Amino acid sequence: MSAELLGKSLRALLDSQEANEEAEWASEWAKGAEAWKERVEPPHTLLIVAFSERSREVCHLRLQEMVDKKLPGHNSKDWATGTCPDEGLGRDIMEISEEQMGRAVGTKGANMQRVRVAAHCALEYFGQGQSTFAVFAGTALERARGQQYLQWILSSPSKGGRRITSLTAEDLQARDDLSILPLTAEENTALEGDTLRAIEAESSTAMYFREISDAELFPTGSYITISRGGRTFQAEVVESAGGNKAGEPFSLNFSMKASHASLDTAEQLQTEQLLIFGFDEGPTGQTGRRLAMQKVREFLDSKRQSSTSAEATQERSQWTAPPTGADKSWQDNSWNKWKSPAPTAATEKRQEGSAWTNGDWAAAKTRPDDSSAWGNWTGRASKEADNWGSHGATENKADSWSGGGGSAQR
């Protein structure tokens, strides 16, 4: 074999090997690319560091809600409604409808925040559309309160920002998260929705007006007014039956009182109730339910004072000026107009304001009408000098009265 043929054979063999290597490398590269695409990033771990287990749980729930808002269903897709059996920290899940979400959140989150602070539990909303969950985190008692407060918000009617509940007296028994403030009908009307919302935010409470049943308006021992034939009588309720629910008929047994005097008292007039709910009773009066009661009373007191001032102003505005030509001499404050005519010598000295002399004094004493004129214009003193002691004079001498005649005659 010639050298030329040998060279060609070797070159062909090398090219073949190189082609095979390139094909093998390309195959490996393609496999690597597919493997890269299928590579899964390892999960990131976020550490929540806090001394309180409650704080860690509240933060955890809040972070889950933030992620779920960006990636709907990321955390909540497999959740279902239920209640944690543990008495300690846990989570309860309550389902709410899409139509209820607006009320559950409230204006700028006001209702959600109201439930949080009054029940002392964490609350977050997950999901959208048909599957929306309210998740409560806290102890068993806190979670139960939170669910109840939220249900009341969703079911209680609102009139002018004033939430109204029809809870019965039995519903309110044995509750340790409730304070009741009795109100008159006027006080009930004076409490505006915006005022109550501000007090709730300051005291961490939730407040509702309660619709009192007919039977509760007439408890045993209360009084009612009966009018007949143009006369009014008072009757004491001896017994009442029924009327515990709206529309339910009820009956009364009462005894007439002989006295027709009004028996209305502050307690008799307090036929309305403001329910103040919250986990904190506020033993110091600076927080919680006691603070809310104090703020409500202060507001009502200020309204009463304003009303009294307005009535007084209206009465003064009805006063009229004296008619034209009326005698206005009383407006002249000249003391001369309030004095009877005095002896000539005394009058001149009074008007001049000069000192009295012995001669002046003697002339005044010897005037024939001194018994009347002198006594009139002095007001109290007689013609005798020793009776001027009440005006500061001790002797009937000219020097004792010098410069003081004017003051002694008043």
Side-chain angles (χ1 to χ4, degrees):
M1 179 181 295
S2 64
E4 184 178 355
L5 292 174
L6 182 59
K8 290 181 179 180
S9 297
L10 290 174
R11 189 174 293 106
L13 180 60
L14 292 173
D15 291 342
S16 176
Q17 290 179 349
E18 185 175 352
N20 290 336
E21 289 176 357
E22 289 180 355
E24 185 177 352
W25 180 84
S27 176
E28 292 296 330
W29 183 88
K31 292 179 181 180
E34 291 297 328
W36 176 264
K37 291 179 182 180
E38 295 175 359
R39 186 175 67 92
V40 178
E41 287 282 346
H44 296 282
T45 301
L46 180 63
L47 300 180
I48 303 174
V49 180
F51 174 78
S52 167
E53 182 182 2
R54 166 186 286 277
S55 298
R56 298 195 297 272
E57 176 62 18
V58 171
C59 182
H60 186 198
L61 181 62
R62 180 67 178 132
L63 288 171
Q64 285 184 310
E65 189 276 335
M66 293 174 64
V67 172
D68 219 70
K69 186 178 292 185
K70 295 291 184 180
L71 301 172
H74 181 79
N75 292 300
S76 61
K77 63 181 179 181
D78 297 326
W79 288 358
T81 58
T83 301
C84 177
D86 298 337
E87 292 296 322
L89 282 175
R91 291 186 182 185
D92 291 349
I93 301 178
M94 167 183 164
E95 187 173 5
I96 56 179
S97 66
E98 185 177 3
E99 294 76 16
Q100 293 175 320
M101 271 301 296
R103 197 164 189 176
V105 176
T107 304
K108 297 181 180 180
N111 287 344
M112 180 168 61
Q113 182 63 14
R114 186 171 295 111
V115 173
R116 287 171 175 167
V117 297
H120 196 233
C121 72
L123 169 63
E124 300 293 345
Y125 298 120
F126 290 80
Q128 296 178 354
Q130 299 299 321
S131 56
T132 302
F133 299 109
V135 183
F136 303 85
T139 64
L141 181 58
E142 293 165 349
R143 284 179 271 126
R145 285 176 180 167
Q147 291 186 65
Q148 200 167 44
Y149 293 170
L150 180 57
Q151 288 173 342
W152 289 344
I153 288 177
L154 298 178
S155 60
S156 299
S158 179
K159 298 178 182 178
R162 297 152 47 91
R163 291 190 301 274
I164 301 172
T165 179
S166 56
L167 294 171
T168 66
E170 290 74 17
D171 295 332
L172 305 180
Q173 289 180 354
R175 294 194 69 106
D176 60 357
D177 62 338
L178 170 65
S179 296
I180 301 177
L181 181 61
L183 302 171
T184 65
E186 287 185 352
E187 290 173 337
N188 187 320
T189 304
L191 287 172
E192 303 163 350
D194 292 341
T195 301
L196 293 179
R197 300 295 83 78
I199 295 176
E200 284 179 333
E202 183 177 356
S203 59
S204 298
T205 57
M207 292 188 280
Y208 298 83
F209 289 98
R210 176 171 174 252
E211 289 184 336
I212 299 178
S213 65
D214 294 338
E216 289 181 76
L217 283 176
F218 302 96
T220 301
S222 62
Y223 294 91
I224 61 177
T225 301
I226 300 176
S227 296
R228 178 73 172 175
R231 289 177 290 178
T232 301
F233 304 88
Q234 302 290 345
E236 180 182 3
V237 176
V238 177
E239 182 184 8
S240 63
N244 292 311
K245 297 180 180 179
E248 181 182 4
F250 71 104
S251 60
L252 294 176
N253 291 330
F254 54 85
S255 62
M256 303 295 292
K257 287 292 180 181
S259 173
H260 296 173
S262 175
L263 299 176
D264 288 339
T265 63
E267 292 183 357
Q268 291 289 328
L269 295 174
Q270 290 174 338
T271 58
E272 314 287 338
Q273 286 184 349
L274 179 64
L275 307 183
I276 305 176
F277 291 95
F279 80 98
D280 180 16
E281 181 185 1
T284 64
Q286 302 299 315
T287 60
R289 303 196 304 270
R290 286 192 182 179
L291 175 61
M293 295 183 74
Q294 175 185 331
K295 291 294 182 181
V296 171
R297 290 193 181 104
E298 289 176 355
F299 174 79
L300 292 175
D301 288 341
S302 66
K303 292 284 283 188
R304 277 191 288 268
Q305 293 174 1
S306 299
S307 177
T308 302
S309 300
E311 290 176 0
T313 301
Q314 184 177 8
E315 289 179 0
R316 288 196 298 269
S317 66
Q318 295 174 354
W319 295 351
T320 59
T324 305
D327 182 12
K328 299 183 181 180
S329 59
W330 61 272
Q331 295 177 342
D332 188 347
N333 60 359
S334 172
W335 65 276
N336 287 320
K337 292 185 177 294
W338 295 84
K339 303 296 181 181
S340 298
T344 303
T347 303
E348 292 174 353
K349 293 300 179 183
R350 179 185 63 188
Q351 293 174 348
E352 294 173 0
S354 58
W356 283 51
T357 64
N358 286 332
D360 295 331
W361 176 255
K365 289 177 62 178
T366 58
R367 285 189 59 80
D369 57 350
D370 55 1
S371 61
S372 59
W374 181 273
N376 288 336
W377 69 268
T378 58
R380 289 190 301 272
S382 69
K383 61 184 178 180
E384 297 297 330
D386 55 357
N387 287 334
W388 284 81
S390 61
H391 295 279
T394 58
E395 300 178 13
N396 59 346
K397 294 181 180 180
D399 55 354
S400 299
W401 290 87
S402 186
S407 62
Q409 295 173 42
R410 286 180 296 187

